[in-house]
Amino acid sequence: MDLSKAWIVKRKGRDVIALEHTPDGFDLYVCDSPNGSDDYSVMLAIPRRK
């Protein structure tokens, strides 16, 4: 799998869900700034390495 080419296909939540590419692949950030907790979901697409 080519982690450097991953992207977010679908995200659900009340605040930020972000994908940042790194030299080793990616970091996925979920920020829940408002008070209290919430449910979050994210669907990633990761292509096969050629």
Side-chain angles (χ1 to χ4, degrees):
M1 299 179 77
D2 190 351
L3 299 178
S4 68
K5 302 226 188 282
W7 72 94
I8 294 176
V9 174
K10 185 176 175 182
R11 65 183 98 203
K12 183 179 178 196
R14 67 176 173 192
D15 209 355
V16 176
I17 300 173
L19 183 110
E20 181 178 297
H21 290 100
T22 66
D24 295 324
F26 62 84
D27 290 334
L28 182 66
Y29 294 98
V30 178
C31 178
D32 189 35
S33 296
N35 291 333
S37 61
D38 197 16
D39 293 329
Y40 286 82
S41 66
V42 60
M43 181 184 302
L44 301 177
I46 305 172
R48 293 180 190 259
R49 191 176 298 256
K50 294 181 180 184

